[in-house]
Amino acid sequence: IKNEIAGNPDVAGFIFDGFPRTLPQAEILDKMLAERNQAVNKVLSIVIPDEMVYERILHRASIENRKDDTDRSIIQTRINLYHSKTMPLIEYYSAQGKYQEICGDGTIEEIFQKCQVVSNHLANLPQTVGVLKKEHFESMLPNATFINTHCVS
């Protein structure tokens, strides 16, 4: 991530997809950005109930033929990990006034419209670091660079 940011000095900001996922990652990101006189401006969280997580992952499994997405126990482990490791970020970023939830119930188009309202605000910020899904939202901030961080541990 540090190399991506350093390698793109002329972009208006960055969008991180799925990062940070833990409090230590958020703290490291904040420190790294502070060294560059930058900061996380907004964190977007597309929120859905746990049961809808099951439905969507099982649907993805049927479309993409992903065997790891068909086992409810594996899905439950992922959900538990989210609750224990990622949910603390809500308090962390809320305390800084940077956290924004978006209801993820609805069609892709409906969720996209909800995100566009937030992105209108983000587009006016000099540096932007948020959490979005690239395939649906990268067009919302044309002056930002998108970094997919799903494989960051």
Side-chain angles (χ1 to χ4, degrees):
I1 292 173
K2 189 173 188 174
N3 292 339
E4 274 300 317
I5 292 172
N8 292 282
D10 298 327
V11 298
F14 294 89
I15 300 170
F16 295 113
D17 175 14
F19 183 81
R21 289 186 183 213
T22 66
L23 192 54
Q25 289 176 347
E27 292 166 343
I28 290 168
L29 178 63
D30 284 347
K31 181 180 177 192
M32 182 189 67
L33 291 173
E35 291 170 359
R36 302 179 56 80
N37 294 318
Q38 296 175 318
V40 171
N41 296 105
K42 187 64 92 174
V43 173
L44 304 180
S45 181
I46 300 172
V47 179
I48 59 174
D50 290 353
E51 189 53 40
M52 192 176 290
V53 172
Y54 282 109
E55 293 168 16
R56 290 188 180 176
I57 290 177
L58 291 170
H59 178 70
R60 178 177 73 181
S62 69
I63 293 171
E64 298 177 8
N65 197 27
R66 292 181 54 152
K67 302 288 185 214
D68 61 323
D69 284 347
T70 60
D71 186 328
R72 277 187 83 86
S73 67
I74 292 172
I75 297 169
Q76 185 60 53
T77 298
R78 292 179 192 162
I79 291 170
N80 293 345
L81 187 61
Y82 168 80
H83 286 296
S84 67
K85 301 286 186 180
T86 305
M87 282 190 75
L89 293 175
I90 294 171
E91 184 177 325
Y92 179 76
Y93 285 116
S94 292
Q96 298 174 40
K98 298 176 180 180
Y99 180 79
Q100 176 135 7
E101 272 187 10
I102 296 172
C103 177
D105 192 17
T107 65
I108 291 172
E109 292 77 17
E110 292 167 338
I111 299 164
F112 180 79
Q113 288 178 350
K114 294 173 192 176
C115 291
Q116 279 185 308
V117 171
V118 175
S119 76
N120 289 336
H121 168 71
L122 293 176
N124 296 320
L125 296 172
Q127 282 115 14
T128 303
V129 179
V131 179
L132 296 169
K133 287 289 181 196
K134 177 181 181 179
E135 61 270 19
H136 303 302
F137 305 111
E138 67 183 345
S139 65
M140 292 165 39
L141 296 170
N143 296 324
T145 295
F146 191 92
I147 300 174
N148 188 331
T149 58
H150 280 292
C151 49
V152 173
S153 58

